[in-house]
Amino acid sequence: MIAHPTADGEKRKILVVEDSRVDALQARLLLEKQGYHVSIAMDARAAMEHLNHHIPDLVLLDIMLPDKNGWEVCKDIKQFTSAQGHFVPVVLLTSLGDVDDKVIGFESGADDYLVKPPAKKELLARIRSLLRIRDLQENLRRAHKKLSRAHGVIKRDIKIVAEIQRSFLRDTFPDHPDLDLAAQYQPSYHAGGDYYDLVEVDEDHLGFMVADIAGHGVSAAVVMAITQMTVKEFAVGITSPGAALKRINEKLNRHLSSDHFITVFYAILNQKTMGLVYTSAGHNPMMYYSSGSDVVLPLRTGPDFPLRTFETKQYEEKSLPLQRGDKILLFTDGVLDVQNPQMDFYGEERLEEVLRKNHHLSSHELIQRIMEDTEAFRKGRKRLDDFTLFVIGRR
């Protein structure tokens, strides 16, 4: 069976490292008849010089060389070719058939081991088999290289998406004589699906929103950006949070083809009366610290559906007066779902306790305290979901 050439039509290259000129010439004659291109090195130094100029497809290596132990030469060849990014099979040839010699040979990196003089058919069969393995390894290496390049492009694109996403989120809030506002956002990956915002509804009303788009990564970030633009376009001028969510839901269902659904908590504050009206589209109950009674209460509404699931007639609304010293903590479920190494969840009770004990802090300081507490709880375990906090406090 004649040897198959490489993909570019070149002959397979075999390096024979053999100090016996007769054995080397016999090997060359046999292999060249099969269509291989054969080079000969008489010692270890000549073999390594050859490798510096030409990487062969396979090496036949005599274990007894005049200038160096064949096992050490095998290690040198393997290290050199691997550093060049190639898999080159090495077949050790020896007149010794001792099992220990074979073990040492394989430990040195050899891919096969033949006792001299090898049967011609066996030698050719072993060579063909190892060259097939080499081809598979090379194909795998090329595929991995392409995948690495593609992964680099994806990482760069995701980084750009994450930067664009962060540019959509507020990092400062307008100075307000009665309100103390702060927010924190951390995606579980470079880009995520959480969203918070302050909506200037009209001269007398401010809207506070936190949303969680189902899923993570680039697709969730894109849906988040579309949601934010929809809110900016259609929530302004609507002083009813339920009516605003209904309109936003209609627009998203009409124009957004993604299957991602969106949970939302939206509250609107009347700056003259300091009365707060809120609603929820399938979001977790937010937390309200009442300074008058020193308790934390959940802000619950009816079991309304998330945006992008069903059309609804109206989202249920509830109201409360925002007293001096009160705080409202908005968050996404990524805060509650922080896990420690024992797989326990951080949960509502821990978050409620931190809010109650630290209500006297500024909104920014309260967020930092919650961050510290969740960090201490998870003890280095990776966050599995996006993490968003938004605090509205009355001074």
Side-chain angles (χ1 to χ4, degrees):
M1 182 182 290
I2 303 299
H4 291 290
T6 60
D8 53 11
E10 292 186 359
K11 289 183 176 181
R12 302 285 191 176
K13 298 184 288 291
I14 296 179
L15 174 62
V16 177
V17 186
E18 171 65 75
D19 65 336
S20 168
R21 187 173 297 275
V22 173
D23 290 345
L25 291 176
Q26 286 179 344
R28 167 180 274 176
L29 182 61
L30 172 65
L31 295 173
E32 286 184 343
K33 283 184 178 179
Q34 301 298 315
Y36 297 108
H37 180 278
V38 181
S39 301
I40 295 176
M42 304 298 292
D43 54 34
R45 181 187 60 80
M48 297 309 296
E49 285 183 359
H50 180 88
L51 290 174
N52 275 310
H53 298 91
H54 306 284
I55 299 293
D57 297 304
L58 182 140
V59 176
L60 293 177
L61 174 62
D62 185 8
I63 207 168
M64 301 298 291
L65 296 174
D67 56 343
K68 199 168 186 180
N69 185 299
W71 297 317
E72 296 178 4
V73 179
C74 181
K75 287 182 180 179
D76 293 342
I77 291 173
K78 282 293 187 178
Q79 289 176 359
F80 181 83
T81 55
S82 177
Q84 302 299 312
H86 296 283
F87 169 71
V88 177
V90 176
V91 181
L92 291 178
L93 302 174
T94 180
S95 56
L96 303 175
D98 190 274
V99 173
D100 290 339
D101 292 332
K102 292 183 178 181
V103 172
I104 296 172
F106 286 124
E107 288 178 346
S108 69
D111 300 280
D112 210 339
Y113 202 104
L114 291 173
V115 177
K116 295 170 58 177
K120 294 179 181 180
K121 288 185 178 181
E122 181 183 12
L123 174 62
L124 294 174
R126 298 284 184 93
I127 288 174
R128 284 193 292 269
S129 176
L130 287 171
L131 287 175
R132 282 196 294 269
I133 294 173
R134 176 206 172 269
D135 290 345
L136 291 173
Q137 291 278 5
E138 286 294 296
N139 289 338
L140 182 62
R141 180 185 65 82
R142 285 192 288 269
H144 179 72
K145 194 172 182 179
K146 289 181 180 178
L147 186 62
S148 295
R149 285 198 296 266
H151 184 64
V153 172
I154 291 171
K155 283 186 68 176
R156 184 192 65 204
D157 290 346
I158 289 175
K159 184 178 180 182
I160 293 171
V161 169
E163 290 171 355
I164 294 172
Q165 179 192 26
R166 287 187 179 88
S167 71
F168 288 164
L169 299 173
R170 285 179 175 267
D171 53 5
T172 60
F173 292 99
D175 189 26
H176 194 287
D178 283 326
L179 298 178
D180 178 19
L181 307 174
Q184 176 73 37
Y185 166 69
Q186 288 188 351
S188 59
Y189 194 47
H190 294 294
D194 279 8
Y195 160 53
Y196 68 86
D197 206 354
L198 180 148
V199 181
E200 295 178 271
V201 179
D202 59 25
E203 291 184 0
D204 297 328
H205 296 84
L206 286 178
F208 308 100
M209 179 177 289
V210 65
D212 187 355
I213 288 84
H216 312 287
V218 174
S219 61
V222 171
V223 174
M224 182 279 282
I226 293 172
T227 302
Q228 185 181 33
M229 288 188 290
T230 305
V231 170
K232 295 292 189 186
E233 179 70 20
F234 298 105
V236 174
I238 303 177
T239 57
S240 162
L245 286 194
K246 181 178 182 296
R247 188 177 186 192
I248 291 167
N249 189 38
E250 290 171 352
K251 297 299 180 181
L252 291 175
N253 275 308
R254 187 173 304 167
H255 300 293
L256 184 61
S257 61
S258 168
D259 291 333
H260 292 276
F261 64 84
I262 308 154
T263 67
V264 180
F265 180 91
Y266 185 36
I268 294 179
L269 178 71
N270 184 320
Q271 298 181 80
K272 290 183 175 180
T273 66
M274 297 308 285
L276 190 80
V277 181
Y278 60 91
T279 190
S280 174
H283 204 76
N284 298 85
M286 300 293 93
M287 294 184 182
Y288 162 58
Y289 171 76
S290 170
S291 59
S293 53
D294 191 31
V295 295
V296 175
L297 302 172
L299 300 182
R300 301 183 186 277
T301 60
D304 289 316
F305 295 107
L307 306 185
R308 286 284 298 124
T309 51
F310 302 100
E311 297 283 357
T312 59
K313 292 182 178 180
Q314 183 71 37
Y315 286 93
E316 181 184 357
E317 296 178 346
K318 290 189 177 181
S319 62
L320 61 87
L322 193 64
Q323 306 289 348
R324 297 197 178 278
D326 288 357
K327 276 191 169 60
I328 295 176
L329 175 61
L330 310 184
F331 54 91
T332 56
D333 57 7
V335 179
L336 305 180
D337 292 345
V338 169
Q339 286 184 290
N340 63 15
Q342 291 73 43
M343 306 291 284
D344 300 318
F345 289 102
Y346 186 72
E348 292 181 354
E349 290 184 5
R350 289 185 178 87
L351 183 60
E352 180 181 320
E353 185 67 11
V354 175
L355 172 58
R356 193 186 65 79
K357 287 183 176 180
N358 297 278
H359 65 87
H360 58 283
L361 299 178
S362 70
S363 294
H364 174 75
E365 291 169 336
L366 175 59
I367 285 178
Q368 295 307 307
R369 186 61 54 86
I370 294 171
M371 294 290 295
E372 291 168 2
D373 199 59
T374 57
E375 287 294 303
F377 176 80
R378 70 188 181 99
K379 297 179 180 177
R381 181 176 171 82
K382 181 178 173 60
R383 295 187 193 276
L384 300 178
D385 199 359
D386 304 328
F387 186 102
T388 301
L389 294 165
F390 188 5
V391 177
I392 302 120
R394 185 172 180 188
R395 301 182 189 281

